[in-house]
Amino acid sequence: MTPFEYLRAGDPGEAVAAVAGRPGAAFLGGGTNLVDHMKLGVAGPDLLVDVSRLPLDRVEETAGGLRVGAAVRNSDLAAHPLVRERYPVLARALLSGASGQLRNVATTAGNLLQRTRCPYFQDVTTPCNKRVPGSGCSAIGGYTRYHAILGASEHCVATHPSDMAVAMAALDAVVVVLGPGGERRLPIGELYRLPGDAPQRDTVLEHGDLITAVELPHLPAARRSAYRKVRDRASFSFALVSVAAVLDLDGDAVRDVRLALGGVAHKPWRAARAEEALRGGPATEDAFRRAADAELAGARPLPGNEFKVAMTRGVVVAALRDLAEEGR
Amino acid sequence: MRVGFTVNGREETADDVWEGESLLYVLRERMGLPGSKNACEQGECGSCTVLLDGVPVCSCLVAAGQAEGRRVRTVEGLAEGDRQAPIQEAFVECGAVQCGFCTPGLLVQAHDLIERVPRPSDADIREALAGNLCRCTGYEKILAAVRLAANRRAENP
Amino acid sequence: MTVRRGAVGAPAPRVEGLAKVTGSAAYAYDRPVADPVYACPVQATIARGRVVAIDGGAAAGVEGVLAVVTHREAARLADTADAELAVLQSDAVAFRGQFVGVVLAETPEAARQAAGLVRVEYDEEPHDTELRADRAGLYTPEQVNGGFAPDTDEGDVDAAMEAAAVTVDRIYTTPMLFNNPMEPHTSVAVWGDGGDEGGGGPGEARLTLYDSTQGAHVVRSTLARVFGLPPERVRVISPYVGGGFGSKGMPHAHNVLAGLAAMAVPGRPVKLALTRQQMFSLAGHRTPTIQRVRLGAGADGRLTAVAHEVVEHTSALKEFAEQTAVGARMMYAAPNRRTAHRLAALDVPVPSWMRAPGEAPGFFGLEVAMDELAQACGLDPVELRARNEPEVDPESGRPWSGRHLVRCLREGAARFGWEERAAVPGTRRAGRELVGLGVAASTYPYYRFPGSRAVVGYDGSGRYTVRIGAADIGTGAWTVLTQIAADALECPLGAVRVEIGDSELPPATVAGGSSGTASWGSAIVAACHAFRGAYGTEPPPGAEAGADMPRDPDAERFAMHSFGAQFAEVRVDADTGEIRVPRMLGVFSAGRIVNPRTARSQFIGGMTMGLSMALHERGVLDHRTGHVVNHDFAEYHIATHADVVDVDAVWLEEEDAHAGPLGARGIGEIGIVGAPAAIANAVHNATGVRVRDLPITPDLLLR
């Protein structure tokens, strides 16, 4: 771990200025991802600006929606009565992530910005374009069980590991960012990048940009929503694949649907094609399957993760079917 | 830097602490509290679990500076004077301790659970303890110990 | 000579339980030492070749760094015959992750940072890490672990297979597996007369090691030889050990590295604990196995042929040959039997013992094959095994000291509700889940190793002390030995204190082969009887008597093994393939159970490790680099609380009259044997999918 200075920011503006003014600086939230990476040598900031104690730790009601402060802990967010009532998919997604100890420390912003769990990324002795642009992608031709089937490139096949982000993607969350130039809002779908030829950039954020809040829009249909995560053991593992689903039925027809997939891409994957195929159609297993297939038509599995296509189909169908049954 | 926080009810300070040291390291190597264990240093096993401001965390991932001015409680501080905490007694009674290396972290995590949740179901317990790995016991006796301690706690709130 | 019942047989609580729950039990790294130095290894990033240059300049410049030691600076070891322990003695690299240096610093963070700055240049050679059954260079080892012959051949297996009414001929595989005890391998080493444990005359080097080991005496004798010291000048102290499962059964490279590092800072203790990641290359592992199992039987299921042929790997650096097919030699009767072991010497880390070496992987292949045979014969799998129960050991012809496998199977079947098992696979559902039941047989040999000695002393005020260099690695040995001593002395449990875990104590064999209770226990019984024989019931203060473990006359006359029946229920999600195991049951025959509480923990712990082996564990070796990619707990999965729902273990109430004075056979490892097969067989019953390769993961069961 390279030596670093530690600064506790007093307010968001100070934090932004401190990081923006120093190329080697980084924001520190809960630290469960960044501190780990510093020990592994994956990250080496020379200044940590601790933003975990900024007054960004509230969950507030907005017009039918919620505004979640960036410093709200994952465990608190999952337990919040309004989250559980209005966006159960989000509560379930949070609870399916990590362990109790980690959820107690991890912040909303930190969770969004956590980096891939690709073992080659985390090992400084194996080539990785995300870590060292141009050095190669060790996952391609290697161990790909946790890697992408959608939206990948020849430079990087990593997946985004956050469950919370998948749920937020399904909910059309908006991320509030404070940068050196002021505040702006980003739909979560625009926060994340696909790897393309610059896999070292997970998001569109610039150095010094600080996430201050996430806004969840008014979405009554989200009261019937679910998160389903498929993993190699019953708990405490990253997703093989996952799905966040919101299903709004009008009798037996799909009035509206939101679907986001985890474990399949460099970002939470909003399954827009599947949604389109479902909207206005019947809420049957057949329709669910066809919609999943429509989304997976563009899948490019790797040797070692071909199973993710069938698994994604299976979990999408299961999640929608269960939601539809709930609704009857 | 100098770092100061309350540990098991006592004010402690450590000098010449490097920012990159973890809370776990500070407790073990500087404050003479080796009860919390380092088994993975990645937050993946729970052996380093301590209470930070009353909430269980993996101390291996808490940078020393983040602990400044806060309240820490370790396995060494679970007992009330001479009396073991209900969870400690239950672990011994139920035979939930084998090699013992995962035990301190489990005790802290389980202690927090039964303080927060009056009568946790088996599923609650399993999920709450899912972040604490044990290679020896097969978990059964740990579950029995948590149930026992929870029942006793509920009877003596 | 048997022991009066009293403390033995009671569920006495662990003697060290309070120390462990209060955090006061001092494991190796916890031991307070004066003025410590922290060590961080530098590891090879190639799998084969030579170090041509090491530049420690930048590392040495980090504040707090005291030394950078490579093969150039390291002292010459006196004995390098054991290639695994010839640490920093040459520029050769034999596997990725091997030690090529060590940085010593005032803080572990400085050491770690500096280690990352050491620049190493290699002359890299092509490496070979891939195990395949059809690869070139497979060889027959002279013997396999345990001292067994690598091959056996009785009758004519090929002819019998040709003639058999029903046959099974399949390949089964198990992956690279890692013991992963919770406590990382740790050595705190100090030379000279450091601390309060040292001492030695002028010019007499003395090494003290606070260690985490399954055998303090083995570490002492090995390091004495390696460093060229008389054993009296090496002391190994290891009272508390956070698990081992075989990986701490013999010294590994880190023990030597700690000693070498400590030479660079004489008088100061060097603290070295492997990181979890480092353990994947330096703490041993279980070889992957490729097993061809052939079974030939009559239409009634009676076996005429059993063949178990295994391909596995070893490190090219040092041979370890897992005895995967040895169990098939004694498990079932058949006039035509063949077993074989072939090794590939690869550029991989050195394999070593992992819980139930041989039986654990071997009984996956054998017991799934038996299930396939039952299916092919149209027989119930419990019935199939009952029909093939041998009267005597098929291999040696000796009578069994106690074999009650069929009773275990029948009793287990009754308790488990075996009659609810669907006869046709894939036909039983509960909502969206497919339900299945499976069974497998289990066995583990009874070992009693000579070489232990116990000494009993009396303090004059009612307290006895028993001293023996045994190890409690979570097994409960400390408690069990106390019970055994109390009964042998015919005094209350509370009057006895047992001292273990120190090479200054009388010598003891390693905690391994499930042999501890029998080996150390019988030495203790002999010593206690010697004590009473010498001093009667009114010993004077300071009275002392000792005895070596007596020979076991029955060991040559009987075939001595523990047996068990493993049952599992699985539920498979029809949409995602996820597998959950809501129930497991093991019924065991292991002779007398000395402490029901600790025994149950051991059985269940073993079965849980078997569940983990069945569903979760796999070391992924990337052949392009020669390293295990998933080298941490995030990616190498072991079973968590959430995975283990209801695992039950019961045993037959019995004594083995031939298993020493205690009548007890070993129990520490049998739990893992057969459990993976029971789960695999249950998966087949649930889904109709026959998985022959571990681990069984959801992707294998997707429709």
mmCIF file of all heavy atoms in Angstrom, chain B residues 27-39:
data_model
loop_
_atom_site.group_PDB
_atom_site.id
_atom_site.type_symbol
_atom_site.label_atom_id
_atom_site.label_comp_id
_atom_site.label_asym_id
_atom_site.label_seq_id
_atom_site.Cartn_x
_atom_site.Cartn_y
_atom_site.Cartn_z
ATOM 1 N N LEU B 27 -5.719 -2.378 16.775
ATOM 2 C CA LEU B 27 -6.204 -3.093 17.956
ATOM 3 C C LEU B 27 -5.238 -4.213 18.349
ATOM 4 O O LEU B 27 -4.890 -4.359 19.522
ATOM 5 C CB LEU B 27 -7.584 -3.696 17.675
ATOM 6 C CG LEU B 27 -8.742 -2.714 17.517
ATOM 7 C CD1 LEU B 27 -9.970 -3.426 16.943
ATOM 8 C CD2 LEU B 27 -9.091 -2.060 18.848
ATOM 9 N N ARG B 28 -4.795 -4.977 17.373
ATOM 10 C CA ARG B 28 -4.007 -6.167 17.664
ATOM 11 C C ARG B 28 -2.568 -5.840 18.035
ATOM 12 O O ARG B 28 -2.033 -6.372 19.010
ATOM 13 C CB ARG B 28 -4.004 -7.099 16.438
ATOM 14 C CG ARG B 28 -5.302 -7.849 16.222
ATOM 15 C CD ARG B 28 -5.242 -8.676 14.953
ATOM 16 N NE ARG B 28 -4.055 -9.532 14.931
ATOM 17 C CZ ARG B 28 -3.965 -10.685 15.576
ATOM 18 N NH1 ARG B 28 -4.982 -11.155 16.260
ATOM 19 N NH2 ARG B 28 -2.852 -11.397 15.509
ATOM 20 N N GLU B 29 -1.962 -4.992 17.219
ATOM 21 C CA GLU B 29 -0.520 -4.810 17.387
ATOM 22 C C GLU B 29 -0.155 -3.605 18.221
ATOM 23 O O GLU B 29 0.951 -3.527 18.742
ATOM 24 C CB GLU B 29 0.152 -4.693 16.009
ATOM 25 C CG GLU B 29 -0.062 -5.915 15.108
ATOM 26 C CD GLU B 29 0.627 -7.175 15.617
ATOM 27 O OE1 GLU B 29 1.784 -7.106 16.021
ATOM 28 O OE2 GLU B 29 -0.025 -8.238 15.616
ATOM 29 N N ARG B 30 -1.050 -2.649 18.366
ATOM 30 C CA ARG B 30 -0.698 -1.439 19.105
ATOM 31 C C ARG B 30 -1.431 -1.328 20.432
ATOM 32 O O ARG B 30 -0.950 -0.690 21.354
ATOM 33 C CB ARG B 30 -1.020 -0.201 18.276
ATOM 34 C CG ARG B 30 -0.134 -0.037 17.067
ATOM 35 C CD ARG B 30 -0.498 1.254 16.344
ATOM 36 N NE ARG B 30 0.340 1.491 15.202
ATOM 37 C CZ ARG B 30 1.559 2.021 15.259
ATOM 38 N NH1 ARG B 30 2.065 2.373 16.423
ATOM 39 N NH2 ARG B 30 2.262 2.214 14.160
ATOM 40 N N MET B 31 -2.623 -1.918 20.501
ATOM 41 C CA MET B 31 -3.404 -1.724 21.733
ATOM 42 C C MET B 31 -3.490 -2.983 22.573
ATOM 43 O O MET B 31 -4.279 -3.052 23.517
ATOM 44 C CB MET B 31 -4.796 -1.198 21.372
ATOM 45 C CG MET B 31 -4.726 0.208 20.805
ATOM 46 S SD MET B 31 -6.357 0.900 20.507
ATOM 47 C CE MET B 31 -5.911 2.591 20.072
ATOM 48 N N GLY B 32 -2.742 -4.026 22.186
ATOM 49 C CA GLY B 32 -2.699 -5.228 23.015
ATOM 50 C C GLY B 32 -4.011 -5.979 23.070
ATOM 51 O O GLY B 32 -4.316 -6.640 24.061
ATOM 52 N N LEU B 33 -4.791 -5.885 21.980
ATOM 53 C CA LEU B 33 -6.078 -6.590 21.938
ATOM 54 C C LEU B 33 -6.091 -7.538 20.742
ATOM 55 O O LEU B 33 -6.695 -7.242 19.712
ATOM 56 C CB LEU B 33 -7.219 -5.571 21.825
ATOM 57 C CG LEU B 33 -7.428 -4.688 23.044
ATOM 58 C CD1 LEU B 33 -8.365 -3.529 22.705
ATOM 59 C CD2 LEU B 33 -7.985 -5.479 24.218
ATOM 60 N N PRO B 34 -5.421 -8.689 20.881
ATOM 61 C CA PRO B 34 -5.329 -9.595 19.733
ATOM 62 C C PRO B 34 -6.520 -10.530 19.577
ATOM 63 O O PRO B 34 -6.464 -11.467 18.791
ATOM 64 C CB PRO B 34 -4.059 -10.395 20.053
ATOM 65 C CG PRO B 34 -4.004 -10.429 21.541
ATOM 66 C CD PRO B 34 -4.630 -9.156 22.027
ATOM 67 N N GLY B 35 -7.590 -10.276 20.319
ATOM 68 C CA GLY B 35 -8.752 -11.170 20.225
ATOM 69 C C GLY B 35 -9.342 -11.228 18.830
ATOM 70 O O GLY B 35 -9.692 -12.300 18.327
ATOM 71 N N SER B 36 -9.466 -10.063 18.159
ATOM 72 C CA SER B 36 -9.995 -10.048 16.785
ATOM 73 C C SER B 36 -8.927 -10.596 15.852
ATOM 74 O O SER B 36 -7.753 -10.292 16.004
ATOM 75 C CB SER B 36 -10.348 -8.623 16.368
ATOM 76 O OG SER B 36 -11.018 -7.946 17.410
ATOM 77 N N LYS B 37 -9.346 -11.412 14.900
ATOM 78 C CA LYS B 37 -8.376 -12.162 14.097
ATOM 79 C C LYS B 37 -8.293 -11.697 12.642
ATOM 80 O O LYS B 37 -9.255 -11.197 12.090
ATOM 81 C CB LYS B 37 -8.742 -13.660 14.097
ATOM 82 C CG LYS B 37 -8.886 -14.272 15.465
ATOM 83 C CD LYS B 37 -7.643 -14.123 16.317
ATOM 84 C CE LYS B 37 -7.837 -14.768 17.683
ATOM 85 N NZ LYS B 37 -6.847 -14.270 18.649
ATOM 86 N N ASN B 38 -7.135 -11.932 12.066
ATOM 87 C CA ASN B 38 -6.921 -11.632 10.654
ATOM 88 C C ASN B 38 -6.885 -12.938 9.881
ATOM 89 O O ASN B 38 -5.907 -13.665 9.947
ATOM 90 C CB ASN B 38 -5.591 -10.881 10.485
ATOM 91 C CG ASN B 38 -5.348 -10.472 9.044
ATOM 92 O OD1 ASN B 38 -6.102 -10.834 8.146
ATOM 93 N ND2 ASN B 38 -4.292 -9.703 8.825
ATOM 94 N N ALA B 39 -7.944 -13.244 9.174
ATOM 95 C CA ALA B 39 -7.967 -14.510 8.430
ATOM 96 C C ALA B 39 -8.039 -14.311 6.933
ATOM 97 O O ALA B 39 -7.845 -15.259 6.185
ATOM 98 C CB ALA B 39 -9.142 -15.374 8.892
#
